[in-house]
Amino acid sequence: MALCTPFHHPLHCFPPNTQVHSFNNGFLSTRKSEGPNGFGVFASKDVEPLRRARMIMEIPLELMLTISKKLPWMFFPDIVPIGHPIFDIINATNPETDWDLRFACLLLLAFDQEGNFWQLYGDFLPSIDECTSLLLATEEDLLELQDQSLALLMREQQHRALEFWEKNWHSAAPLKIKRLAREPERFMWAVSMAQTQCINMQIRIGALVQDTSMLVPYAGKVNIAPPHDQGLREKVGVASIEDEMKENLEMVRSCDTDRMLEVMINPGQKINKGEEMTVNYMDGQQNNMLMQRYGFSSHGNPWDMISFTGDSRIHLETFLSVFNITGLPIEYYHNSEIAVDGDKFVDGAVIAAARTLPTWSDRDVPPIPSEERKAAKELQQQCQEILFRYPTTSKQDEQILASTPDARRTLEAAIKYRLHKKLFLQKVIDALDIYQDKILF
């Protein structure tokens, strides 16, 4: 899906200067803001939380771009003309790893076809200048990440896409191929759109059930937000397929005769008119993975990690109790009902701390406060040492962002990524301070 405002993705939009398009049942609209702020999906009227899902969009298969994930390559709808050389390029890709390259070729072909829906819908996609994908980052941008591993990985990804373009868009290539992406930046942009906008799900065409990669118009404008109590399911006919993501929206594929994608909403809380409708697909994804695939990060990502060394450990149950965190590790959440009124400290970063801090647990052995404080201080020291390795501080990063409002989107995303890492480390340090203060003597 698309990304959202809490994580500063360029596809988020703001209410002023908007163009509104109403969708099924009058439940939502898309808004386009002037400038680089992009698009979002907003409720056009109040939506009450109900036990039963309701449909808010119905998108015909003919408006999508869809390609099977396994050989033989199949397209729904089939927009590849017989004998077109783009099929030979797609067919020469690695079936296991090159799904994004195939989809980039298909997207560029759709833009080139007269009367194709995607020629118009392309206005809803971010331009090269608006895109935060690190595939479009310069070497300077990658250095600003202050993460050598991620920078190296993105250089490899850039080289892979550039090598593919040079191989197939050479001087002797047919004109109908050349005009799809005359410059490598155009192809890199198409690959970034495939990576950030693609949805993977099963569809049924007649009696055939296919694992597919899809670009879905309008549904792809639903931006990301942290989870509350909602879930996402993708259904094929009467068969239900649980996705690996937890989202606020529920996507349903209707029966094969309808050739429609139905987007269902089943909110766990009231959505007021004018509020943005969002989904969440962060479960299990650390910031470096989000940055690699989507070009954004979050300072409150509940799945971020810190690599600790040594034998220092704190008591798990006591730490959870101090911050009113309940549930299984994969489902930790803040129990606000038993929290002190006005306590705003606990956020996704504290949930991440509960998952990443080295802990111990023994039902028969109570924690010793002095030992817990000693372990907490040692873990704080490790966090401080990690912070000291960075050439800039979080304050300096904030000043850089404030002083360069017109910076490239990839540069801005890179600085925010390293800032979010430092804010997370500082949040863990602060959480361990509170833990030491509240642990019983």
Side-chain angles (χ1 to χ4, degrees):
M1 297 298 250
L3 313 176
C4 86
T5 179
F7 310 128
H8 312 287
H9 189 270
L11 293 183
H12 174 68
C13 78
F14 297 91
N17 305 319
T18 60
Q19 300 170 355
V20 178
H21 306 271
S22 294
F23 285 98
N24 188 66
N25 296 334
F27 283 114
L28 77 159
S29 60
T30 61
R31 292 180 178 177
K32 178 180 185 297
S33 65
E34 296 179 358
N37 296 319
F39 296 82
V41 174
F42 298 77
S44 59
K45 65 181 181 181
D46 292 346
V47 181
E48 298 292 336
L50 295 175
R51 188 178 298 274
R52 189 172 182 177
R54 62 182 67 172
M55 182 174 64
I56 59 173
M57 288 191 211
E58 196 173 43
I59 303 168
L61 180 68
E62 284 70 20
L63 296 186
M64 306 178 199
L65 289 179
T66 305
I67 183 173
S68 59
K69 298 180 72 173
K70 298 180 181 178
L71 288 167
W73 308 124
M74 303 183 70
F75 313 97
F76 313 103
D78 191 351
I79 66 169
V80 181
I82 295 176
H84 197 289
I86 198 67
F87 181 79
D88 295 329
I89 295 176
I90 293 175
N91 199 41
T93 58
N94 187 322
E96 301 298 326
T97 61
D98 292 344
W99 65 271
D100 52 343
L101 301 180
R102 289 190 291 273
F103 223 116
C105 293
L106 191 65
L107 179 61
L108 291 171
L109 178 65
F111 287 144
D112 187 61
Q113 292 186 337
E114 189 67 30
N116 190 290
F117 169 79
W118 285 83
Q119 284 189 326
L120 299 175
Y121 189 74
D123 290 342
F124 280 74
L125 299 176
S127 67
I128 292 178
D129 293 334
E130 296 168 347
C131 187
T132 61
S133 171
L134 293 184
L135 283 173
L136 298 168
T138 64
E139 181 62 24
E140 177 189 355
D141 299 339
L142 296 180
L143 291 175
E144 293 296 337
L145 289 168
Q146 296 180 1
D147 185 332
Q148 293 183 1
S149 298
L150 180 57
L152 178 61
L153 179 60
M154 292 316 303
R155 291 187 189 100
E156 293 173 351
Q157 290 289 320
Q158 289 176 340
H159 177 73
R160 166 177 169 264
L162 180 60
E163 188 176 48
F164 184 84
W165 180 84
E166 291 174 343
K167 176 182 177 182
N168 296 287
W169 272 263
H170 49 79
S171 58
L175 178 61
K176 59 178 64 177
I177 293 295
K178 280 186 178 180
R179 69 189 184 205
L180 300 183
R182 296 186 182 276
E183 302 294 333
E185 291 77 16
R186 175 70 171 173
F187 183 75
M188 298 281 239
W189 172 85
V191 176
S192 73
M193 289 300 99
Q195 292 184 355
T196 59
Q197 305 283 321
C198 180
I199 302 171
N200 295 316
M201 63 184 294
Q202 283 189 336
I203 64 172
R204 178 182 295 143
I205 304 296
L208 180 65
V209 177
Q210 282 276 359
D211 290 314
T212 60
S213 298
M214 310 173 66
L215 284 183
V216 184
Y218 302 111
K221 298 299 105 187
V222 183
N223 291 322
I224 183 176
H228 296 285
D229 294 316
Q230 299 79 8
L232 176 142
R233 296 179 195 77
E234 295 168 355
K235 299 179 182 177
V236 183
V238 297
S240 177
I241 302 171
E242 285 289 335
D243 192 80
E244 72 274 13
M245 304 178 285
K246 296 288 185 180
E247 307 198 4
N248 299 16
L249 296 184
E250 182 174 329
M251 303 188 72
V252 179
R253 168 68 68 179
S254 65
C255 63
D256 54 294
T257 56
D258 289 341
R259 296 174 67 87
M260 289 282 186
L261 179 77
E262 296 176 352
V263 181
M264 312 292 288
I265 184 172
N266 192 1
Q269 61 186 21
K270 181 178 179 180
I271 301 175
N272 296 318
K273 179 180 178 180
E275 288 185 349
E276 186 173 11
M277 305 174 76
T278 59
V279 298
N280 170 65
Y281 49 92
M282 290 177 60
D283 284 5
Q285 299 297 318
Q286 299 178 40
N287 272 347
N288 60 340
M289 294 300 298
L290 295 173
M291 197 68 188
Q292 173 192 339
R293 174 75 181 269
Y294 302 107
F296 79 98
S297 60
S298 166
H299 68 277
N301 185 349
W303 296 97
D304 225 0
M305 300 286 290
I306 300 172
S307 297
F308 289 97
T309 59
D311 299 326
S312 300
R313 282 167 171 70
I314 58 174
H315 189 245
L316 175 61
E317 286 76 12
T318 304
F319 185 87
L320 298 179
S321 177
V322 165
F323 296 104
N324 300 310
I325 297 173
T326 58
L328 298 173
I330 60 172
E331 298 175 345
Y332 278 157
Y333 67 95
H334 180 228
N335 191 341
S336 57
E337 293 183 0
I338 61 175
V340 178
D341 291 341
D343 182 10
K344 303 296 184 181
F345 179 78
V346 178
D347 59 7
V350 179
I351 301 296
R355 291 191 174 108
T356 192
L357 282 169
T359 58
W360 66 275
S361 179
D362 191 329
R363 290 178 179 270
D364 299 326
V365 179
I368 301 173
S370 60
E371 292 296 322
E372 290 300 302
R373 290 192 180 89
K374 178 182 177 182
K377 289 178 180 178
E378 290 174 353
L379 294 174
Q380 284 180 312
Q381 181 62 32
Q382 290 194 44
C383 291
Q384 292 285 6
E385 290 174 356
I386 297 173
L387 284 172
F388 290 152
R389 296 192 199 117
Y390 288 105
T392 59
T393 65
S394 59
K395 295 294 184 182
Q396 290 172 328
D397 291 341
E398 291 172 346
Q399 291 172 0
I400 293 172
L401 288 172
S403 62
T404 55
D406 298 327
R408 294 184 305 276
R409 299 310 295 262
T410 48
L411 177 59
E412 179 185 7
I415 297 174
K416 286 180 177 178
Y417 169 73
R418 77 192 196 202
L419 170 62
H420 293 157
K421 292 178 68 175
K422 297 164 191 174
L423 292 176
F424 175 45
L425 286 162
Q426 187 59 53
K427 190 78 172 186
V428 173
I429 293 172
D430 294 341
L432 288 171
D433 275 334
I434 295 174
Y435 175 70
Q436 294 176 69
D437 290 340
K438 290 190 175 183
I439 190 170
L440 297 176
F441 284 95

mmCIF file of all heavy atoms in Angstrom, residues 44-61:
data_model
loop_
_atom_site.group_PDB
_atom_site.id
_atom_site.type_symbol
_atom_site.label_atom_id
_atom_site.label_comp_id
_atom_site.label_asym_id
_atom_site.label_seq_id
_atom_site.Cartn_x
_atom_site.Cartn_y
_atom_site.Cartn_z
ATOM 1 N N SER A 44 -15.581 10.836 3.867
ATOM 2 C CA SER A 44 -16.479 11.904 3.434
ATOM 3 C C SER A 44 -17.688 12.015 4.356
ATOM 4 O O SER A 44 -18.505 12.917 4.194
ATOM 5 C CB SER A 44 -16.938 11.664 1.996
ATOM 6 O OG SER A 44 -17.604 10.424 1.893
ATOM 7 N N LYS A 45 -17.827 11.081 5.308
ATOM 8 C CA LYS A 45 -18.846 11.196 6.349
ATOM 9 C C LYS A 45 -18.425 10.336 7.528
ATOM 10 O O LYS A 45 -17.493 9.527 7.422
ATOM 11 C CB LYS A 45 -20.218 10.780 5.831
ATOM 12 C CG LYS A 45 -20.352 9.310 5.446
ATOM 13 C CD LYS A 45 -21.759 9.045 4.937
ATOM 14 C CE LYS A 45 -21.939 7.582 4.563
ATOM 15 N NZ LYS A 45 -23.296 7.319 4.034
ATOM 16 N N ASP A 46 -19.084 10.505 8.655
ATOM 17 C CA ASP A 46 -18.731 9.747 9.857
ATOM 18 C C ASP A 46 -18.923 8.258 9.617
ATOM 19 O O ASP A 46 -19.914 7.831 8.998
ATOM 20 C CB ASP A 46 -19.597 10.183 11.043
ATOM 21 C CG ASP A 46 -19.289 11.599 11.490
ATOM 22 O OD1 ASP A 46 -18.247 12.135 11.060
ATOM 23 O OD2 ASP A 46 -20.081 12.164 12.268
ATOM 24 N N VAL A 47 -17.951 7.462 10.100
ATOM 25 C CA VAL A 47 -18.021 6.005 9.984
ATOM 26 C C VAL A 47 -17.986 5.428 11.391
ATOM 27 O O VAL A 47 -16.996 5.591 12.114
ATOM 28 C CB VAL A 47 -16.844 5.443 9.148
ATOM 29 C CG1 VAL A 47 -16.970 3.932 9.023
ATOM 30 C CG2 VAL A 47 -16.816 6.098 7.769
ATOM 31 N N GLU A 48 -19.079 4.775 11.781
ATOM 32 C CA GLU A 48 -19.164 4.190 13.111
ATOM 33 C C GLU A 48 -18.506 2.814 13.121
ATOM 34 O O GLU A 48 -18.561 2.084 12.126
ATOM 35 C CB GLU A 48 -20.624 4.058 13.548
ATOM 36 C CG GLU A 48 -21.366 5.378 13.647
ATOM 37 C CD GLU A 48 -20.841 6.252 14.778
ATOM 38 O OE1 GLU A 48 -20.250 5.687 15.731
ATOM 39 O OE2 GLU A 48 -21.021 7.481 14.713
ATOM 40 N N PRO A 49 -17.878 2.433 14.242
ATOM 41 C CA PRO A 49 -17.300 1.088 14.331
ATOM 42 C C PRO A 49 -18.404 0.032 14.386
ATOM 43 O O PRO A 49 -19.315 0.106 15.208
ATOM 44 C CB PRO A 49 -16.503 1.133 15.642
ATOM 45 C CG PRO A 49 -17.148 2.212 16.451
ATOM 46 C CD PRO A 49 -17.653 3.227 15.473
ATOM 47 N N LEU A 50 -18.340 -0.912 13.477
ATOM 48 C CA LEU A 50 -19.327 -1.983 13.415
ATOM 49 C C LEU A 50 -18.631 -3.328 13.395
ATOM 50 O O LEU A 50 -17.477 -3.453 12.988
ATOM 51 C CB LEU A 50 -20.198 -1.845 12.157
ATOM 52 C CG LEU A 50 -21.104 -0.600 12.061
ATOM 53 C CD1 LEU A 50 -21.791 -0.568 10.715
ATOM 54 C CD2 LEU A 50 -22.123 -0.598 13.184
ATOM 55 N N ARG A 51 -19.351 -4.349 13.835
ATOM 56 C CA ARG A 51 -18.792 -5.704 13.803
ATOM 57 C C ARG A 51 -18.696 -6.224 12.373
ATOM 58 O O ARG A 51 -17.863 -7.058 12.048
ATOM 59 C CB ARG A 51 -19.669 -6.629 14.658
ATOM 60 C CG ARG A 51 -19.089 -8.029 14.856
ATOM 61 C CD ARG A 51 -19.999 -8.838 15.732
ATOM 62 N NE ARG A 51 -20.128 -8.254 17.053
ATOM 63 C CZ ARG A 51 -19.292 -8.494 18.054
ATOM 64 N NH1 ARG A 51 -18.279 -9.314 17.879
ATOM 65 N NH2 ARG A 51 -19.472 -7.927 19.235
ATOM 66 N N ARG A 52 -19.564 -5.722 11.521
ATOM 67 C CA ARG A 52 -19.626 -6.203 10.146
ATOM 68 C C ARG A 52 -18.941 -5.208 9.210
ATOM 69 O O ARG A 52 -19.147 -3.997 9.313
ATOM 70 C CB ARG A 52 -21.078 -6.388 9.730
ATOM 71 C CG ARG A 52 -21.255 -7.087 8.401
ATOM 72 C CD ARG A 52 -22.733 -7.390 8.172
ATOM 73 N NE ARG A 52 -22.944 -8.102 6.928
ATOM 74 C CZ ARG A 52 -24.126 -8.539 6.515
ATOM 75 N NH1 ARG A 52 -25.191 -8.311 7.275
ATOM 76 N NH2 ARG A 52 -24.246 -9.176 5.375
ATOM 77 N N ALA A 53 -18.119 -5.717 8.300
ATOM 78 C CA ALA A 53 -17.394 -4.842 7.363
ATOM 79 C C ALA A 53 -18.345 -4.252 6.337
ATOM 80 O O ALA A 53 -19.392 -4.834 6.025
ATOM 81 C CB ALA A 53 -16.283 -5.623 6.674
ATOM 82 N N ARG A 54 -17.978 -3.092 5.812
ATOM 83 C CA ARG A 54 -18.768 -2.468 4.758
ATOM 84 C C ARG A 54 -17.840 -2.079 3.612
ATOM 85 O O ARG A 54 -16.671 -1.765 3.816
ATOM 86 C CB ARG A 54 -19.502 -1.238 5.280
ATOM 87 C CG ARG A 54 -18.583 -0.147 5.765
ATOM 88 C CD ARG A 54 -19.353 1.031 6.325
ATOM 89 N NE ARG A 54 -20.051 0.696 7.547
ATOM 90 C CZ ARG A 54 -20.667 1.596 8.313
ATOM 91 N NH1 ARG A 54 -20.660 2.863 7.963
ATOM 92 N NH2 ARG A 54 -21.282 1.229 9.404
ATOM 93 N N MET A 55 -18.384 -2.094 2.407
ATOM 94 C CA MET A 55 -17.592 -1.817 1.219
ATOM 95 C C MET A 55 -17.478 -0.320 0.991
ATOM 96 O O MET A 55 -18.460 0.412 1.090
ATOM 97 C CB MET A 55 -18.226 -2.489 0.005
ATOM 98 C CG MET A 55 -17.443 -2.302 -1.283
ATOM 99 S SD MET A 55 -18.132 -3.260 -2.645
ATOM 100 C CE MET A 55 -19.730 -2.493 -2.811
ATOM 101 N N ILE A 56 -16.267 0.143 0.684
ATOM 102 C CA ILE A 56 -16.060 1.561 0.398
ATOM 103 C C ILE A 56 -15.506 1.807 -1.001
ATOM 104 O O ILE A 56 -15.555 2.927 -1.493
ATOM 105 C CB ILE A 56 -15.115 2.207 1.433
ATOM 106 C CG1 ILE A 56 -13.762 1.503 1.443
ATOM 107 C CG2 ILE A 56 -15.752 2.222 2.803
ATOM 108 C CD1 ILE A 56 -12.722 2.190 2.307
ATOM 109 N N MET A 57 -14.940 0.781 -1.625
ATOM 110 C CA MET A 57 -14.464 0.915 -2.999
ATOM 111 C C MET A 57 -14.758 -0.369 -3.749
ATOM 112 O O MET A 57 -14.764 -1.461 -3.177
ATOM 113 C CB MET A 57 -12.948 1.131 -3.063
ATOM 114 C CG MET A 57 -12.440 2.456 -2.629
ATOM 115 S SD MET A 57 -10.687 2.623 -3.088
ATOM 116 C CE MET A 57 -10.114 3.674 -1.764
ATOM 117 N N GLU A 58 -14.983 -0.231 -5.039
ATOM 118 C CA GLU A 58 -15.151 -1.368 -5.934
ATOM 119 C C GLU A 58 -14.364 -1.053 -7.201
ATOM 120 O O GLU A 58 -14.716 -0.125 -7.936
ATOM 121 C CB GLU A 58 -16.629 -1.590 -6.241
ATOM 122 C CG GLU A 58 -16.920 -2.952 -6.844
ATOM 123 C CD GLU A 58 -18.419 -3.187 -6.959
ATOM 124 O OE1 GLU A 58 -19.119 -2.234 -7.366
ATOM 125 O OE2 GLU A 58 -18.890 -4.287 -6.631
ATOM 126 N N ILE A 59 -13.290 -1.774 -7.430
ATOM 127 C CA ILE A 59 -12.337 -1.412 -8.494
ATOM 128 C C ILE A 59 -12.301 -2.523 -9.534
ATOM 129 O O ILE A 59 -11.961 -3.672 -9.220
ATOM 130 C CB ILE A 59 -10.938 -1.178 -7.908
ATOM 131 C CG1 ILE A 59 -11.012 -0.091 -6.830
ATOM 132 C CG2 ILE A 59 -9.949 -0.781 -9.009
ATOM 133 C CD1 ILE A 59 -9.778 0.030 -5.998
ATOM 134 N N PRO A 60 -12.660 -2.233 -10.781
ATOM 135 C CA PRO A 60 -12.653 -3.266 -11.830
ATOM 136 C C PRO A 60 -11.245 -3.768 -12.121
ATOM 137 O O PRO A 60 -10.273 -3.008 -12.066
ATOM 138 C CB PRO A 60 -13.236 -2.538 -13.051
ATOM 139 C CG PRO A 60 -13.901 -1.316 -12.516
ATOM 140 C CD PRO A 60 -13.139 -0.944 -11.284
ATOM 141 N N LEU A 61 -11.151 -5.031 -12.432
ATOM 142 C CA LEU A 61 -9.866 -5.634 -12.768
ATOM 143 C C LEU A 61 -9.228 -4.936 -13.960
ATOM 144 O O LEU A 61 -8.006 -4.819 -14.047
ATOM 145 C CB LEU A 61 -10.058 -7.123 -13.072
ATOM 146 C CG LEU A 61 -8.814 -7.929 -13.455
ATOM 147 C CD1 LEU A 61 -7.874 -8.050 -12.260
ATOM 148 C CD2 LEU A 61 -9.197 -9.307 -13.965
#
